[in-house]
Amino acid sequence: MHIRTLISIILLSASAILPGGSAAQPSDKPFTLVIDAGHGGKDFGCRGKTEYEKNITLDVARRFRNLVNTQFGDSVTTVMTRDTDVFVPLGDRAKIANKAEGDLFVSIHVNSVDYKNKNRANIHGASVYTVGLHKSEANLSVAMRENAVIELEEDFSETYQGFDPNSSESYIIFELGQNHAMAQSVGFASLVQNELVTTAGRTDKGVLQAGFLVLWATKMPSVLVELDFICNAEAEKFLGSERGRQKCAEALLNAFADYHKQSK
């Protein structure tokens, strides 16, 4: 792996998102919320006994968008990275968000653990990630799983210039800088986590940091939400139900409403 090349990538990315890297937006510009439904198409994401992550994330994303549109009207513009069951490369998701000049990026996912994990059937709870250093092996494992989707892209090695989502060495790039919008990202992540616990009734697994490529590439406050563990039968049942998905969407709405109020 070419560490020097990786360092160049992250330094260029960092320069692109530093304050001053983009033109200031007019004060009357509608707030732009970018909603990213994880996985899709040939990328099924995590799998439960009957449910696929890609279907859960798309349904929750649509519900979240509809709730925001109803409550905020023209004052908030919502942008979806996908609105159907299609495969969208990680890099393209970030490009969509950046082209839309998003003010907030919310990537929706469902968690799981390896089949060999003895706690697979019992683990449960929601967590919200911001980009940053891997505070534990568990965080690194989640980032590796989510980043591994690039392997479904044609010429992914060339596109991502040698980055190997399955090699811990590749993650040295995430030690070379931090998202300039980290404070806002962590603040919104905390709001989402609280709502997933209080509104959606999920167990609190905390606000965490890990090296997600899709978050690094966005030029705005960004979070990745893991709604619960699909490998847990009760959690899968909740995430597969109309009520469960609506509750998750409502939790995201409540968190966004608080964040939007604070950002004025």
Side-chain angles (χ1 to χ4, degrees), residues 47-60:
R47 306 185 187 203
K49 290 185 177 180
T50 61
E51 301 291 338
Y52 293 134
E53 178 179 6
K54 67 171 186 175
N55 297 331
I56 295 170
T57 61
L58 181 58
D59 191 24
V60 172

Side-chain angles (χ1 to χ4, degrees), residues 61-227:
R62 286 171 171 169
R63 291 170 186 267
F64 178 31
R65 175 199 59 194
N66 293 343
L67 288 172
V68 171
N69 288 344
T70 298
Q71 180 164 327
F72 290 91
D74 294 338
S75 65
V76 174
T77 298
T78 53
V79 175
M80 299 275 284
T81 59
R82 71 178 182 99
D83 197 13
T84 58
D85 183 20
V86 295
F87 176 73
V88 182
L90 289 185
D92 288 355
R93 294 170 188 265
K95 287 178 181 177
I96 291 170
N98 293 335
K99 183 177 180 180
E101 299 182 338
D103 296 295
L104 181 65
F105 179 84
V106 182
S107 189
I108 303 172
H109 291 259
V110 173
N111 217 337
S112 188
V113 293
D114 189 86
Y115 284 94
K116 298 178 182 179
N117 192 310
K118 295 180 180 179
N119 196 36
R120 177 177 170 82
N122 299 316
I123 191 169
H124 61 283
S127 53
V128 183
Y129 286 85
T130 63
V131 72
L133 305 182
H134 309 289
K135 303 300 184 181
S136 70
E137 286 299 316
N139 293 13
L140 177 59
S141 177
V142 174
M144 282 183 165
R145 188 186 71 242
E146 298 295 1
N147 291 340
V149 67
I150 68 173
E151 295 176 323
L152 296 177
E153 301 176 29
E154 294 183 6
D155 302 321
F156 80 88
S157 183
E158 180 178 345
T159 300
Y160 295 94
Q161 301 187 43
F163 179 82
D164 180 358
N166 301 306
S167 170
S168 59
E169 293 180 0
S170 284
Y171 289 83
I172 188 175
I173 65 172
F174 296 108
E175 298 181 11
L176 301 178
Q178 290 288 329
N179 188 334
H180 81 281
M182 179 60 72
Q184 296 99 312
S185 298
V186 171
F188 178 65
S190 298
L191 292 172
V192 174
Q193 185 65 22
N194 179 67
E195 285 293 336
L196 286 173
V197 173
T198 58
T199 298
R202 303 300 86 201
T203 297
D204 187 358
K205 295 191 73 69
V207 173
L208 308 169
Q209 290 185 336
F212 295 101
L213 287 173
V214 71
L215 300 187
W216 265 113
T218 55
K219 301 180 181 180
M220 64 215 67
S222 307
V223 302
L224 186 145
V225 181
E226 297 281 7
L227 298 173

